[in-house]
Amino acid sequence: METILKISNLTKNYYTTQALKGIDLEVERGKILGLLGPNGSGKTTLMKIIAGILKPTSGEVLIEGKNPGIYTKKIISYLPDVNPIYKWMRVKDAVNFFKDFYNDFDEEKAKSNLGFMELKENQKVSSLSKGMLERLLLTLYLSRNAKLYILDEPLGGVDPSARDKIIDTIIKNINEDSSIVISTHIISDIEKVFDEVVFISEGKIILKENAEELRAKKGKSIDEIFREVYANV
Ligand SMILES: Nc1ncnc2c1ncn2[C@@H]1O[C@H](COP(=O)(O)OP(=O)(O)OP(=O)(O)O)[C@@H](O)[C@H]1O
């Protein structure tokens, strides 16, 4: 199996806060990794470093063997935890914005995803609810033909009934050559898509396993194991 992402002894300090304390992690091509941890555990910091928008304090990140930079930004689709879409836009403007910005943006895929997400091209971005906006953003980022998708809390503001739609969209859009890292603390609905899971706590990885093997070993869902582990942290 080919490794697309390799992280070695990564640390990140913000002033006096040590947000990441020596992270070692590998993601293989075609795999989906669940990055699981409570608020403040370091998920967003790690994802921003992989995406190349934050510099590590020490350690190394390699994406297809290269440090984060111009090349890696071209092959990574990063769904951030903030909204990059201008309020004045309509859904179709946001699609055009992405089309202009990313060479790998697949307009046909976007149109099909918008339909599936029940978003209309003429809707104003400012009129979308928080959950609908998240659906739009996920649609846009998944409509890139990227090699690595980094999705920071894609289920954050979405009500339980809409979660399945988001999860189905993720499944529908991936191909065997692309990998995904998904951060979340809402695990029960999405755990079925994970190949590997990593539990992160206070900037350290406290558990790293194949999802299926972990479930079999403990006789429990990842969600149950997560609750147990974090009850004792
Ligand atoms: N810009 C910053 N300046 C100072 N400290 C920061 C900054 N960003 C994050 N931190 C701190 O770093 C730690 C990790 O934060 P991070 O946002 O990476 O966690 P997270 O797991 O993504 O949390 P959440 O689930 O709440 O988004 C926290 O202690 C946080 O307060």
Side-chain angles (χ1 to χ4, degrees):
M1 264 290 173
E2 198 187 341
T3 300
I4 181 152
L5 171 65
K6 186 171 183 351
I7 297 174
S8 314
N9 204 14
L10 186 74
T11 71
K12 175 68 187 175
N13 300 341
Y14 296 106
Y15 312 102
T16 54
T17 307
Q18 260 193 296
L20 299 176
K21 303 172 185 163
I23 300 286
D24 292 302
L25 186 62
E26 285 192 21
V27 178
E28 289 172 355
R29 199 179 290 286
K31 299 287 183 201
I32 303 184
L33 173 85
L35 179 63
L36 314 178
N39 292 129
S41 53
K43 304 181 297 293
T44 298
T45 301
L46 180 57
M47 294 184 128
K48 281 183 177 164
I49 293 173
I50 299 168
I53 58 171
L54 200 60
K55 289 256 174 281
T57 302
S58 66
E60 189 171 54
V61 174
L62 293 173
I63 300 125
E64 284 196 340
K66 297 184 178 63
N67 293 125
I70 294 169
Y71 172 74
T72 66
K73 282 184 186 175
K74 281 191 193 151
I75 63 164
I76 293 178
S77 184
Y78 168 56
L79 170 76
D81 60 344
V82 289
N83 170 21
I85 302 292
Y86 296 110
K87 287 245 163 38
W88 57 262
M89 288 182 166
R90 290 179 189 271
V91 167
K92 62 181 173 201
D93 301 318
V95 170
N96 285 330
F97 180 67
F98 265 65
K99 198 171 114 190
D100 288 346
F101 213 80
Y102 297 110
N103 286 336
D104 62 358
F105 189 75
D106 184 333
E107 201 175 358
E108 288 310 308
K109 198 160 136 185
K111 285 193 172 150
S112 145
N113 282 333
L114 286 177
F116 185 71
M117 289 287 206
E118 292 162 22
L119 288 159
K120 304 268 178 301
E121 292 197 16
N122 268 326
Q123 274 173 301
K124 282 187 176 169
V125 168
S126 59
S127 73
L128 299 177
S129 67
K130 190 165 182 278
M132 284 164 84
L133 181 63
E134 288 196 4
R135 279 154 73 161
L136 171 62
L137 293 177
L138 189 75
T139 295
L140 294 170
Y141 286 103
L142 285 177
S143 298
R144 287 185 56 193
N145 289 319
K147 293 193 179 167
L148 177 62
Y149 297 86
I150 305 285
L151 310 179
D152 196 355
E153 295 280 357
L155 303 177
V158 180
D159 60 69
S161 62
R163 282 182 201 152
D164 280 346
K165 234 182 174 56
I166 292 219
I167 294 160
D168 288 348
T169 307
I170 293 173
I171 295 169
K172 201 157 76 86
N173 278 277
I174 48 166
N175 63 58
E176 58 194 27
D177 289 333
S178 49
S179 314
I180 314 187
V181 178
I182 303 175
S183 80
T184 188
H185 52 255
I186 304 166
I187 298 161
S188 61
D189 302 291
I190 200 168
E191 69 167 84
K192 64 181 179 200
V193 311
F194 298 146
D195 296 302
E196 309 283 331
V197 287
V198 159
F199 287 13
I200 179 167
S201 173
E202 297 178 359
K204 284 192 195 140
I205 289 178
I206 55 171
L207 187 150
K208 187 165 34 176
E209 271 210 60
N210 174 280
E212 205 50 61
E213 285 170 15
L214 182 61
R215 271 190 289 260
K217 195 160 82 183
K218 302 265 184 189
K220 291 177 182 153
S221 67
I222 304 291
D223 187 36
E224 287 169 313
I225 299 165
F226 180 85
R227 284 165 202 269
E228 271 180 22
V229 166
Y230 286 96
N232 300 319
V233 168

